[in-house]
Amino acid sequence: MGEVLVITSGKGGVGKTTATANIGTGLALMGKKIVMVDTDIGLRNLDVVMGLENRIVYDIVDVVQGNCRLKQALIKDKRFENMYLLPAAQTKDKTAVSEEQMKNLSDNLKTEFDYIVIDCPAGIEQGFKNAIAGAEKAVVVTTPEVSAVRDADRIVGLLESSGLREPKLIINRIRPQMVKKGDMMSMEDIIEILAVDLLGVVPDDESVVVSTNRGEPAVMDKASRAGQAFRNISQRITGEEIPLMNLEANSGWLEKIKRWVTKS
Amino acid sequence: MLKELIKIKGTRNGLVFYFNTRDADFEEIKNTLIEKFQSANGFFANARFIISPDNDLNSEEIKIIENICCEYGLVKSANRVVKLDRITDRVNTQTAVSADNKTEYFMAEKDAVLLTRNIRSGQKIYVKGNAVILGDVNPGAEIAATGSIIVMGTMRGVAHAGSYGDDTAYVMAFRLRPTQIWIADKVCRAPESQFTVDYPEVAKIVDNQIILEPYQSSKRRVVNL
């Protein structure tokens, strides 16, 4: 039986879709059979981030309404045999799917896949309720901004009251230099407020923008630091214990010598 | 059985009138009120009164009711109606969890309600009695108690102690960094500066003003138990 993960945040634009694409791909890289489900009906974009936009024939609404079989709507990834995408509908809205239907869908997918990664829409309305209906574990994404943390707190509360205890936290787009200067909330500040377990910290990285636009998730880029962070996160999801990466590590050799000199 | 249309409660600020506008129209309520005054034989004379805001009466209807009250010798209280007075009815009906699943009502059996969890943004807790929270109250969360509030953690949200008008109530927290503190009908907000202290504090009313002071267990008057 597979595991159903929902990636959520409350606030928009913090990187739910990017996280979903990267965690999904990260798990696929590890050889797991995974499916990503886009529940952002009406504003779908997981397919764009994955570079699979032109392969969509049927979508999630077609599946739950019985217009097609589940197998027909699943899009096989162009890079990995073991990775699939169930796209959202673009023409309907969030009410086209009910919580009950989402639960059934998750149960069906669970028999086929090791991991089901659900991309949740922003907000706390029907779309959010649908996304978490079938989920067993939740991952909350936030950025080091008070507004995002506030919304994440709200989401954690809602998740807890709907039975998704102990959600895990991803802090996205952190900038160590700014944290050092005291201009940005630190990891510790955020954890102190949210009081949930940390799944990973993703540094702010321009390569994510590039890879998102290309439809190639950053995890596949060996040189990308954000990609490395997402690979670690994927490994932690499978139960491996991976230490947090050193955010300050700068890859330049000059930096390395500088650090070595200051250390001794 | 006919539902009670009018409830009268005595508080420090005088009598509070609650009108059940859900089960009766205005005429009916008005007549019941007059009946009540007539049968009371001047019992209410010279008492201060407030009309609870928890009803669907419009300002004209409220004026009529106030006039009736004044006719029977009551005196309109100058006190502002405490914002959270409206919870009284709902707390009394002992509904533990409301329909929207976010606002929760608790009633202390003896002295206090103990909550062992974090209160997060968007969650509201109403307690009849004292409230003790083993956890944090995060920004965006609200906690109101008719008695005092004690947070064994960091208080970052909105706290309302003495929500029925008890101005001896206090708010205490290991780290008191609230967005707002209400005690009875007084309110104060956090200063704009980033100044914070790292020891437990108590907020209480002194000379009609909410003040914060370090918590000292030896001062029994602070704890007021």
Side-chain angles (χ1 to χ4, degrees):
Chain A
M1 275 302 237
E3 200 174 277
V4 190
L5 276 176
V6 60
I7 316 281
T8 179
S9 74
K11 190 176 180 297
V14 297
K16 284 179 296 296
T17 303
T18 312
T20 308
N22 281 292
I23 289 171
T25 312
L27 289 166
L29 271 169
M30 296 167 69
K32 306 284 180 196
K33 193 175 182 200
I34 76 117
V35 60
M36 293 177 238
V37 182
D38 190 354
T39 59
D40 202 347
I41 300 168
L43 289 168
R44 75 169 174 217
N45 40 36
L46 183 56
D47 51 307
V48 184
V49 174
M50 292 302 297
L52 300 170
E53 190 183 9
N54 50 12
R55 302 177 190 217
I56 297 176
V57 180
Y58 295 110
D59 55 51
I60 190 167
V61 177
D62 291 320
V63 174
V64 298
Q65 291 182 347
N67 299 339
C68 71
R69 279 173 290 115
L70 180 55
K71 284 258 164 64
Q72 287 176 295
L74 290 174
I75 301 168
K76 189 191 270 182
D77 187 73
K78 55 189 176 191
R79 290 143 295 206
F80 299 100
E81 281 283 295
N82 49 348
M83 179 158 77
Y84 290 81
L85 170 72
L86 181 56
Q90 185 69 329
T91 50
K92 314 271 184 1
D93 63 42
K94 311 280 192 275
T95 54
V97 177
S98 75
E99 289 164 56
E100 195 58 38
Q101 288 168 328
M102 278 304 296
K103 236 178 254 169
N104 292 337
L105 181 67
S106 305
D107 287 342
N108 283 339
L109 289 169
K110 256 193 326 199
T111 57
E112 283 276 325
F113 295 92
D114 298 327
Y115 288 95
I116 294 102
V117 188
I118 299 174
D119 184 20
C120 176
I124 52 171
E125 293 82 22
Q126 190 60 41
F128 168 74
K129 288 177 189 157
N130 286 342
I132 66 163
E136 294 158 339
K137 284 189 178 165
V139 174
V140 178
V141 184
T142 187
T143 54
E145 292 158 58
V146 273
S147 52
V149 173
R150 185 73 55 90
D151 289 1
D153 187 47
R154 180 94 160 90
I155 288 295
V156 173
L158 291 174
L159 288 170
E160 281 172 350
S161 64
S162 47
L164 280 165
R165 303 253 155 219
E166 292 173 22
K168 300 275 188 287
L169 181 72
I170 292 179
I171 301 172
N172 197 9
R173 242 182 271 151
I174 202 156
R175 291 164 79 167
Q177 294 302 326
M178 286 185 72
V179 174
K180 227 177 178 180
K181 277 193 271 172
D183 294 336
M184 185 180 258
M185 287 177 93
S186 73
M187 222 167 77
E188 289 76 20
D189 293 339
I190 298 169
I191 294 170
E192 199 200 314
I193 291 181
L194 296 179
V196 292
D197 289 344
L198 189 65
L199 185 62
V201 185
V202 183
D204 196 29
D205 188 347
E206 286 177 8
S207 73
V208 174
V209 181
V210 179
S211 60
T212 302
N213 290 343
R214 280 208 198 120
E216 300 269 334
V219 262
M220 292 163 63
D221 181 358
K222 284 267 169 354
S224 161
R225 297 185 41 74
Q228 178 62 47
F230 276 118
R231 276 197 294 280
N232 291 349
I233 288 170
S234 305
Q235 280 171 300
R236 287 187 200 112
I237 286 172
T238 61
E240 286 179 46
E241 285 194 17
I242 311 284
L244 284 176
M245 61 192 254
N246 182 8
L247 290 171
E248 280 170 44
N250 225 324
S251 43
W253 60 273
L254 202 75
E255 287 293 322
K256 267 181 195 162
I257 292 171
K258 248 191 220 162
R259 244 183 300 129
W260 183 73
V261 169
T262 47
K263 225 183 253 172
S264 54
Chain B
M1 200 190 94
L2 196 70
K3 290 238 173 110
E4 209 177 352
L5 297 184
I6 301 174
K7 252 191 241 170
I8 305 172
K9 291 215 173 82
T11 70
R12 293 173 55 94
N13 295 326
L15 301 170
V16 182
F17 283 81
Y18 297 89
F19 297 105
N20 182 352
T21 43
R22 270 156 291 184
D23 297 316
D25 60 10
F26 178 67
E27 273 313 300
E28 225 173 308
I29 288 174
K30 200 176 86 180
N31 293 335
T32 319
L33 183 70
I34 294 174
E35 240 168 69
K36 214 162 198 153
F37 282 143
Q38 279 170 345
S39 62
N41 282 330
F43 176 77
F44 292 112
N46 293 327
R48 285 186 302 159
F49 76 95
I50 302 171
I51 292 168
S52 157
D54 187 19
N55 55 44
D56 299 328
L57 299 175
N58 60 37
S59 55
E60 229 166 84
E61 291 169 336
I62 287 181
K63 197 139 247 167
I64 295 173
I65 293 212
E66 281 174 357
N67 285 339
I68 295 171
C69 293
C70 293
E71 254 172 57
Y72 286 90
L74 281 84
V75 185
K76 196 179 162 195
S77 170
N79 271 323
R80 199 176 62 74
V81 178
V82 178
K83 187 182 89 181
L84 292 164
D85 259 346
R86 51 165 58 227
I87 73 171
T88 333
D89 276 344
R90 288 183 228 155
V91 172
N92 282 345
T93 51
Q94 285 203 336
T95 40
V97 180
S98 76
D100 67 358
N101 205 9
K102 276 154 229 151
T103 312
E104 296 168 65
Y105 300 94
F106 294 92
M107 202 150 90
E109 266 175 37
K110 283 198 182 121
D111 287 327
V113 170
L114 182 66
L115 292 163
T116 46
R117 60 182 158 105
N118 293 331
I119 316 299
R120 295 182 182 278
S121 175
Q123 295 175 335
K124 280 186 186 174
I125 304 280
Y126 289 133
V127 175
K128 197 175 182 191
N130 300 315
V132 181
I133 294 127
L134 303 191
D136 295 343
V137 178
N138 282 355
E142 203 178 312
I143 179 153
T146 59
S148 295
I149 297 169
I150 296 171
V151 181
M152 314 287 264
T154 309
M155 169 76 225
R156 300 186 187 91
V158 176
H160 190 169
S163 59
Y164 285 8
D166 177 7
D167 55 14
T168 62
Y170 56 89
V171 180
M172 182 243 163
F174 282 175
R175 298 292 176 267
L176 198 55
R177 286 157 196 176
T179 27
Q180 275 181 6
I181 290 183
W182 295 65
I183 296 175
D185 55 354
K186 302 274 184 304
V187 61
C188 73
R189 58 170 171 72
E192 300 288 332
S193 69
Q194 292 286 308
F195 175 76
T196 52
V197 292
D198 245 359
Y199 46 76
E201 288 183 293
V202 184
K204 58 179 181 172
I205 293 185
V206 173
D207 296 333
N208 271 325
Q209 234 184 332
I210 298 179
I211 61 147
L212 263 66
E213 60 176 32
Y215 166 74
Q216 279 168 301
S217 55
S218 57
K219 279 192 188 171
R220 281 192 65 84
R221 61 182 184 82
V222 172
V223 184
N224 209 354
L225 286 174

